[in-house]
Amino acid sequence: DTEVTQTPKHLVMGMTNKKSLKCEQHMGHRAMYWYKQKAKKPPELMFVYSYEKLSINESVPSRFSPECPNSSLLNLHLHALQPEDSALYLCASSPFRGTDTQYFGPGTRLTVL
Amino acid sequence: AQSVTQPDIHITVSEGASLELRCNYSYGATPYLFWYVQSPGQGLQLLLKYFSGDTLVQGIKGFEAEFKRSQSSFNLRKPSVHWSDAAEYFCAVGAGLDTNKLIFGTGTLLAVQP
């Protein structure tokens, strides 16, 4: 089973709201990722967690706060977002090494009003 | 620095026709190469990957890709396209053994005419 699940599928929030995106995998993968994808663009890497520790932060604004409570779960906490943060947020996981295949979830479509 | 180029932003083919999507990469060592497909509003699905060995790689849905080191290319092919193949296709290269980063190309949007 190569499934990564993400909830919610869609999220609409105001600029003063606090919300969270959730990602889960049960493949025993030890690396998990958050990507942001704008329309007609490739995914842009935001964060990488390896063995539940943050290993890469691609200079993402602090209004995005990742969390990895355990090896199966990855959250992205959102606060005080801007309309330009509206995008498809993709989660992915991989066994661990840089050569390993990343498996993507279906994404959360976020709209910031 | 590593990079991936997909020269064709948009391609239209007729159903049943053959398909080739181009991908060129820039990488200093043996690359780890991937093709992903994305339907509108969906996540990315892995079509195939190349790590080493046979340079002709078979994937899902009847796709194949050929790694050509001399041309720094990893083109995706399908002998007969189906209407359900209409989607965005991304080529990607692994950024190195010591990192989990993928470098994506800008994507090629495939339209299929009946």
Side-chain angles (χ1 to χ4, degrees):
Chain A
D1 183 12
T2 54
E3 187 178 27
V4 176
T5 59
Q6 290 187 244
T7 54
K9 290 189 188 308
H10 302 275
L11 179 62
V12 179
M13 60 185 292
M15 289 190 285
T16 59
N17 292 157
K18 286 185 182 181
K19 296 286 185 183
S20 297
L21 309 184
K22 178 180 172 181
C23 172
E24 202 159 5
Q25 57 89 13
H26 296 288
M27 296 177 279
H29 290 175
R30 302 314 298 270
M32 297 186 76
Y33 313 75
W34 280 115
Y35 288 85
K36 174 183 177 180
Q37 187 179 27
K38 301 285 276 185
K40 303 187 187 303
K41 297 290 187 184
E44 298 174 29
L45 183 65
M46 300 174 71
F47 303 103
V48 180
Y49 273 82
S50 297
Y51 288 87
E52 295 98 70
K53 290 188 180 357
L54 185 65
S55 61
I56 296 177
N57 177 342
E58 292 287 287
S59 303
V60 178
S62 60
R63 58 186 183 269
F64 295 92
S65 175
E67 178 196 21
C68 191
N70 59 58
S71 61
S72 300
L73 191 55
L74 184 67
N75 297 319
L76 185 63
H77 303 296
L78 314 172
H79 174 55
L81 294 193
Q82 304 297 310
E84 59 265 29
D85 296 321
S86 298
L88 182 68
Y89 287 84
L90 295 164
C91 175
S93 71
S94 68
F96 174 63
R97 296 171 304 168
T99 59
D100 289 334
T101 301
Q102 293 185 25
Y103 296 91
F104 285 79
T108 293
R109 172 70 63 189
L110 174 68
T111 302
V112 182
L113 301 176
Chain B
Q2 301 94 340
S3 67
V4 177
T5 302
Q6 293 180 248
D8 303 305
I9 296 173
H10 188 257
I11 283 183
T12 300
V13 300
S14 298
E15 191 168 15
S18 64
L19 171 70
E20 182 168 30
L21 302 183
R22 295 183 290 165
C23 172
N24 293 97
Y25 66 89
S26 172
Y27 190 71
T30 301
Y32 300 88
L33 295 159
F34 307 83
W35 274 100
Y36 285 90
V37 61
Q38 185 178 33
S39 297
Q42 301 297 313
L44 278 69
Q45 181 182 23
L46 178 72
L47 285 176
L48 46 77
K49 60 188 178 186
Y50 172 78
F51 284 178
S52 65
D54 192 346
T55 56
L56 185 61
V57 180
Q58 301 298 319
I60 63 171
K61 304 185 180 188
F63 286 93
E64 67 177 25
E66 186 170 13
F67 170 62
K68 293 185 178 181
R69 184 186 300 275
S70 61
Q71 298 177 21
S72 297
S73 69
F74 188 56
N75 293 348
L76 182 71
R77 300 193 295 246
K78 186 170 185 178
S80 178
V81 169
H82 187 262
W83 64 266
S84 60
D85 293 323
E88 185 94 35
Y89 291 80
F90 292 100
C91 181
V93 63
L97 289 176
D98 58 348
T99 176
N100 301 92
K101 292 182 69 169
L102 279 179
I103 309 298
F104 283 93
T106 50
T108 297
L109 182 62
L110 174 65
V112 180
Q113 286 182 333

